[in-house]
Structures are given as C-alpha cells and as structure tokens.
C-alpha cells in the first residue's frame, strides 16, 4: 500500500498506514543500532546508543499494543524514508577513517533517524486524537517523549558533554571541557 495509492481512501486508512510505517521504521532501527554501536568510538556515544537500543525494543512493544487496541494485527509496510536514512548512515560512517569524525557522523545519522521518528509520532498523535483513538495517544506520546530525549542526549554529546563535534573539527578539548582553536598550518 503506497502512501497515495488507491488503498488509502479514508483518514483511518492513512492513520493505519502511517502506524505500519513507523512500526517498520522502528524494526529497521533495531537492526541498524548494533552496527552503529560497533562503529562508535566514544564511550558516551556507545552507551547512549545501547540505551536507545533498549528503548527501541520498548517502543516496538508499545506500537504492537497500539495495533492491538485498534483491533489490528501488528504489520509493517516498507518505509523508503527510513531505509534511505539508514543506508546513508552506513555509507557515510563507512567512508570516514578518522574516528573523531566518524563519531560526529554517527551522531548526525542517529539524529536524522530521531527526527524522522519524531515527525511520525507527532503526526500519529494528532490523527489519533482526530479519529477518537484517545486510548492509544499515551502509548504514542511515550514513544515521542523517548525520541525527543534521545535527540537531546545526542545533541549534548555532540556539543557539550563529549564535545564530539569540537574534536572532529580538530579542536583540542581540555580535561575541564573547554576547547582551544584548531592549530593553524605553517606556510611552507
């Protein structure tokens, strides 16, 4: 069932299709996270990705509960958007030799995934309310809240706590967490 195919005739059809889309996306993320964990070099990033792996398992269970409450069997439909984001993440992180830059790339890729998931959950929550499916809103909200928290943690790792972006840019990070300018190359 494509997004604008004849199989989607009602708002209910669209809601169900989007629910199947995010279910597929979460299952793909669950498959992709172990590879990202393996590639990460900063301990804080590895830990954060492992934590989100466990959250993703819980999100999938909540989505299955949503399907059940709606009287449907949990079913996934292909989601080219998440497939593309994950493919790009694998390609970019596979091309980077510098481990500091690789960690920055992994964070950027993980945030692309989080942002996609946040848009889907936000949309599903709005539609569930319109369709009178208020019984599933708390489950969808719980997933959205976790996605937002994961995105915030990734931003913090990139810019504040682990200063992944500063390190990737070649800046020196002191023990106190301050950064110094990148050393200028001497003219030959």
């Amino acid at each position: 069932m494509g997004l604008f195919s004849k199989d989607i005739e009602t708002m209910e059809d669209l809601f169900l299709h989007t629910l199947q889309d995010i279910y597929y996306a979460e299952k793909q993320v669950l498959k992709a996270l172990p590879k990202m964990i393996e590639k990460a070099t900063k301990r804080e990033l590895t830990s954060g990705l492992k934590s989100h792996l466990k959250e993703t398992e819980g999100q999938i269970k909540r989505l299955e509960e949503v399907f059940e409450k709606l009287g449907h069997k949990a079913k996934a439909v292909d989601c080219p958007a998440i497939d593309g984001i994950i493919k790009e993440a694998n390609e970019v992180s596979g091309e980077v030799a510098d481990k500091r830059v690789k960690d920055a790339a992994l964070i950027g890729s993980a945030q692309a995934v989080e942002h996609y998931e946040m848009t889907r959950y936000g949309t599903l929550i709005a539609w569930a309310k319109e369709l009178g499916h208020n019984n599933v809103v708390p489950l969808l909200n719980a997933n959205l809240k976790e996605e937002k928290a994961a995105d915030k943690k990734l931003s913090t790792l990139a810019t504040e706590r682990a200063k992944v972006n500063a390190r990737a840019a070649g800046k020196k990070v002191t023990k106190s967490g301050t950064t110094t300018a990148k050393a200028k190359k001497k003219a030959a």
Side-chain angles (χ1 to χ4, degrees):
M1 177 165 38
L3 182 56
F4 296 108
S5 74
K6 61 182 167 102
D7 296 330
I8 297 176
E9 296 177 2
T10 67
M11 188 67 170
E12 190 69 40
D13 294 339
L14 183 59
F15 176 76
L16 183 60
H17 173 83
T18 306
L19 185 61
Q20 293 167 338
D21 173 286
I22 193 64
Y23 185 61
Y24 174 89
E26 293 290 10
K27 291 182 136 234
Q28 293 307 109
V29 170
L30 190 65
K31 290 179 191 174
L33 276 169
K35 294 174 193 161
M36 293 177 79
I37 291 166
E38 190 177 301
K39 291 178 183 179
T41 63
K42 290 293 296 171
R43 184 173 21 103
E44 297 97 327
L45 178 55
T46 302
S47 174
L49 292 173
K50 284 180 180 177
S51 173
H52 196 58
L53 178 67
K54 293 210 180 308
E55 286 178 348
T56 302
E57 291 168 348
Q59 291 165 357
I60 289 169
K61 287 180 180 160
R62 275 190 220 107
L63 288 172
E64 289 168 349
E65 193 175 338
V66 169
F67 279 108
E68 186 179 316
K69 285 180 180 257
L70 295 172
H72 293 279
K73 184 176 174 158
K75 177 185 167 198
V77 294
D78 286 348
C79 172
I82 201 69
D83 288 338
I85 292 168
I86 291 170
K87 180 181 178 191
E88 181 182 31
N90 288 333
E91 288 173 0
V92 170
S93 64
E95 294 171 2
V96 178
D98 184 322
K99 68 181 185 178
R100 296 168 300 176
V101 176
K102 184 177 289 212
D103 282 342
L106 287 168
I107 289 172
S109 296
Q111 286 188 294
V113 168
E114 297 309 321
H115 290 202
Y116 178 78
E117 292 170 327
M118 288 186 295
T119 63
R120 282 301 190 213
Y121 285 118
T123 297
L124 283 167
I125 290 164
W127 290 349
K129 289 176 182 177
E130 282 299 319
L131 292 166
H133 297 310
N134 296 324
N135 59 333
V136 302
V137 169
L139 295 165
L140 296 170
N141 253 329
N143 283 8
L144 178 59
K145 185 178 177 183
E146 286 179 356
E147 300 300 2
K148 286 180 176 180
D151 181 55
K152 187 174 181 179
K153 287 177 194 172
L154 288 164
S155 289
T156 300
L157 277 175
T159 60
E160 297 169 24
R161 189 164 166 213
K163 301 224 184 249
V164 171
N165 289 349
R167 284 182 167 85
K171 293 181 179 177
K172 182 162 174 60
V173 179
T174 66
K175 279 192 172 194
S176 66
T178 58
T179 58
T180 57
K182 186 175 173 179
K184 294 184 180 182
K185 292 184 180 181
K186 293 182 181 179

